[in-house]
Amino acid sequence: MERYERRYLQVDAEFLPDGKVLPKTLYWESEDGTVLPFSIDRILDIERAACLKAGGFGLRYRCLIRGRRRELFLQENNRWFVAVKLPGDR
């Protein structure tokens, strides 16, 4: 069985006058400590949802990043996270 955990990220976001928060860039820290920026190409959907893989709840942003679909979550405490597979799981 695959296991996941939440990885919290730094995210640059745009705050719109109507109250929407739109993520623009996320920063991924690699194993060697290098921080890599990834621009969010497009937001496909925003809804309140639970992260079924790693737990947690908040706004789920379904995004396109480098042509691939990804889910990015914004918790009530203004922390951003993604679900990542734990090493050794298939």
Side-chain angles (χ1 to χ4, degrees):
M1 180 176 168
E2 294 179 336
R3 296 178 310 139
Y4 291 81
E5 68 180 4
R6 281 177 265 165
R7 177 173 293 180
Y8 290 95
L9 307 169
Q10 177 183 338
V11 173
D12 289 340
E14 180 178 4
F15 294 80
L16 301 179
D18 65 2
K20 287 184 184 174
V21 179
L22 303 177
K24 296 297 182 181
T25 305
L26 64 86
Y27 297 88
W28 185 266
E29 186 174 344
S30 64
E31 291 180 14
D32 67 1
T34 305
V35 177
L36 305 169
F38 289 90
S39 294
I40 295 171
D41 302 323
R42 192 168 78 195
I43 297 171
L44 304 172
D45 182 44
I46 304 168
E47 65 181 343
R48 289 202 167 285
C51 177
L52 300 178
K53 292 179 180 178
F57 183 82
L59 287 178
R60 177 179 62 202
Y61 292 78
R62 288 188 176 133
C63 306
L64 279 181
I65 300 172
R66 294 189 175 182
R68 297 185 70 185
R69 288 177 175 249
R70 299 286 182 214
E71 290 184 345
L72 176 64
F73 289 85
L74 175 59
Q75 293 180 316
E76 297 281 329
N77 60 1
N78 293 321
R79 291 180 72 192
W80 295 91
F81 76 90
V82 294
V84 294
K85 193 180 337 182
L86 290 172
D89 286 344
R90 293 185 232 142

